[in-house]
Amino acid sequence: MVQSLDRLKESASQTAGPYVHIGCTPNYCGIEGVYAEDLGKHMVDADTKGERIRIVGRVFDGVGTPLKDALVEIWQADADGLYPSPGETRGKADPNFSGFGRSPGDMATGEFVFETIKPGKVPFKDGRLQAPHVTLWIVARGINIGLHTRMYFGDEAAANEADPILSRIEHRSRVPTLIAARSEENGVPTYRHDISLQGENETIFFDI
Amino acid sequence: MSGGSFYQRDRTWHPPAFTPGYKTSVTRSPQKALIALDNTLSEMTGPVFGHDMIGELDNDLIRNFAKDGEPIGQRIIVHGRVLDEDGRGVPGALVEFWQANGGGRYRHKKETYLAPLDPNFGGCGRTITADDGSYRFRTIKPGPYPWPNGVNDWRPAHIHFSIFGLGFAQRLITQMYFEGDPLIWQCPIVATIPDRAAVERLVAPLDMANTVPMDARAYKFDIVLRGRRSTMFENRMEGN
């Protein structure tokens, strides 16, 4: 026998359930007057640096039906590639940018929306630059543990090609599931990014 | 608390994605393997929320939605600590919680259970952990409720928890159950967790020492987030 390492085990995950909005976006589901505003609704203000963009999409199940009860969160760097986090040691991030967004899927269509800015490049462990990306975390009824994925930008082909994570994915046909096409919608640069939980075009999910 | 990448998640301890006893997981579980990604800055950093965001009644579900009285049900205090796997308190962590009312009814448009809403109960709250990782809130003990999974499945009384640590890789949503509830061991959602010891860690014991006599009982619920490695900068050890 040897000594115990005396580490605790992480608390086990459980599904967020169908009523996740009560706790995470109460104003959205009609519980008003408790919080002034739902957390993660506004990521930018008038002084935020960078190109304003919109990220929209839906989450599909294995039958091709959009989830209408998913909650999507994103985390991203500012326009200079700095994270507004105490763990950021390279400099001070834009004080007018939250980096964090939270969107409930629309109850009728399932569409999630983020009004944000295009992030700058963030270094990989070895100093190479990662392509601009947004980290997503998805929870819903039927999802037992939150799913981590990333969204890359379709108009950053050269950076995506050199990205240390994208470039080491073995099944090249799966890489496009992480890349969103850019279009113009109502005058706003928009990246449409649908997520497929299961099946033929299943989105790549990471164990981070 | 600052430092390197987070300890790898033990995915034999967490529920797997595909758990057919919980029917909705069948079409919402990825079939391909997760791709392992040693943490970069994108995973090691995460949003941190200030205490100034929290309203005075945010951690008091007995009063934060009260209209013309107080909600009906068993008044309880839920408290505990947010820790990392090395047993250190996690300060500044945002903890959000939500639940049904004393009769098992959620305040949500899509909820159709025939038990009535309580006009004085909303069901959401939040707080930020103190320097030692501790948190507490006051609420009504939620009732169990039926759900359309099997023909006669009932959820045990539970409170949902959403926790932010200091890195986005620590993000966690879980559920707290109550000591002694016989429904825990019949629930298909609880049963998604393969290891009984992992389930027991989600069951909050009655904590008589923290009750308020003639007012509220108390339950203690500790939450453990992922720990993280030390980072070496030149010859200096960080994070220990």
Side-chain angles (χ1 to χ4, degrees):
Chain A
M1 291 292 286
V2 296
Q3 294 183 4
S4 165
L5 285 169
D6 280 336
R7 288 219 173 85
L8 303 173
K9 295 292 285 184
E10 188 188 9
S11 297
S13 173
Q14 290 269 263
T15 180
Y19 307 126
V20 60
H21 313 109
I22 293 175
C24 294
T25 55
N27 290 291
Y28 174 72
C29 74
I31 301 176
E32 285 158 1
V34 181
Y35 310 151
E37 179 181 284
D38 287 337
L39 187 73
K41 189 171 181 176
H42 291 107
M43 300 180 68
V44 299
D45 64 26
D47 298 322
T48 307
K49 288 189 289 181
E51 184 193 17
R52 300 295 192 277
I53 62 164
R54 186 178 291 151
I55 298 170
V56 295
R58 289 185 293 172
V59 182
F60 291 89
D61 70 13
V63 185
T65 303
L67 273 60
K68 293 170 183 170
D69 51 14
L71 182 82
V72 180
E73 292 182 352
I74 64 170
W75 173 242
Q76 65 165 92
D78 70 8
D80 295 324
L82 294 169
Y83 281 104
S85 166
E88 175 60 82
T89 54
R90 296 166 298 149
K92 183 154 168 40
D94 183 352
N96 298 304
F97 182 60
S98 75
F100 171 75
R102 172 184 270 178
S103 177
D106 182 275
M107 282 190 202
T109 66
E111 189 164 273
F112 59 83
V113 182
F114 297 98
E115 308 283 350
T116 182
I117 50 113
K118 195 168 175 187
K121 292 178 180 172
V122 177
F124 192 58
K125 290 175 296 181
D126 59 9
R128 279 184 291 165
L129 289 176
Q130 303 182 65
H133 64 273
V134 169
T135 298
L136 294 91
W137 189 68
I138 301 152
V139 292
R141 173 172 68 103
I143 296 177
N144 291 323
I145 181 164
L147 294 166
H148 282 280
T149 183
R150 285 183 171 197
M151 191 203 92
Y152 289 82
F153 295 83
D155 53 336
E156 295 282 348
N160 292 342
E161 190 71 27
D163 184 79
I165 289 158
L166 290 181
S167 60
R168 71 162 196 217
I169 291 171
E170 180 189 359
H171 298 111
R172 302 310 300 164
S173 62
R174 299 193 68 201
V175 172
T177 68
L178 300 182
I179 300 176
R182 179 180 176 123
S183 63
E184 194 88 5
E185 292 185 20
N186 303 317
V188 182
T190 301
Y191 293 87
R192 285 221 161 248
H193 189 59
D194 287 339
I195 288 157
S196 180
L197 295 179
Q198 186 187 85
E200 203 178 337
N201 294 314
E202 188 172 302
T203 298
I204 289 175
F205 298 105
F206 293 103
D207 186 9
I208 68 174
Chain B
M1 286 299 299
S2 65
S5 55
F6 291 95
Y7 302 150
Q8 179 178 342
R9 222 164 214 165
D10 179 355
R11 289 184 181 267
T12 65
W13 175 261
H14 286 284
F18 177 70
T19 49
Y22 174 27
K23 292 182 180 176
T24 315
S25 75
V26 172
T27 59
R28 295 185 174 196
S29 44
Q31 293 166 323
K32 296 181 174 65
L34 301 178
I35 292 185
L37 171 55
D38 191 9
N39 295 175
T40 71
L41 272 172
S42 307
E43 291 76 37
M44 289 190 278
T45 58
V48 170
F49 304 98
H51 290 267
D52 57 352
M53 179 187 95
I54 303 293
E56 196 188 338
L57 296 179
D58 282 7
N59 71 339
D60 187 357
L61 281 68
I62 291 178
R63 288 174 61 208
N64 71 11
F65 195 79
K67 303 296 180 220
D68 56 0
E70 292 194 336
I72 292 172
Q74 300 175 22
R75 298 158 70 91
I76 60 171
I77 291 160
V78 178
H79 75 104
R81 290 176 74 201
V82 177
L83 304 162
D84 69 14
E85 289 170 288
D86 292 309
R88 291 180 285 216
V90 181
L94 176 65
V95 182
E96 300 166 296
F97 24 86
W98 66 99
Q99 61 167 96
N101 69 23
R105 175 71 189 266
Y106 281 100
R107 187 173 284 279
H108 191 286
K109 299 178 190 174
K110 291 191 176 172
E111 158 74 284
T112 55
Y113 181 36
L114 47 77
L117 288 169
D118 184 327
N120 294 306
F121 192 75
C124 62
R126 62 185 178 185
T127 188
I128 288 179
T129 56
D131 288 346
D132 62 352
S134 64
Y135 74 92
R136 68 195 289 125
F137 60 96
R138 204 164 76 125
T139 187
I140 296 294
K141 187 178 177 189
Y145 62 87
W147 58 300
N149 187 63
V151 291
N152 194 18
D153 281 338
W154 284 71
R155 295 302 325 279
H158 65 277
I159 299 176
H160 297 264
F161 278 73
S162 165
I163 309 103
F164 289 82
L166 300 175
F168 209 52
Q170 288 177 302
R171 200 72 187 84
L172 182 71
I173 280 184
T174 188
Q175 301 183 27
M176 175 194 123
Y177 303 100
F178 292 84
E179 180 183 4
D181 185 344
L183 294 177
I184 294 170
W185 308 105
Q186 300 193 11
C187 175
I189 288 179
V190 173
T192 61
I193 299 174
D195 190 328
R196 187 183 170 101
V199 173
E200 287 171 348
R201 288 265 318 282
L202 300 182
V203 181
L206 177 66
D207 177 9
M208 287 302 287
N210 277 282
T211 54
V212 180
M214 301 304 288
D215 180 344
R217 292 191 298 174
Y219 287 86
K220 183 168 192 289
F221 186 57
D222 286 341
I223 299 158
V224 179
L225 303 180
R226 298 167 71 178
R228 70 196 315 179
R229 298 183 183 88
S230 306
T231 330
M232 303 250 265
F233 286 113
E234 296 165 2
N235 296 318
R236 193 160 57 93
M237 292 284 282
E238 296 269 342
N240 280 325

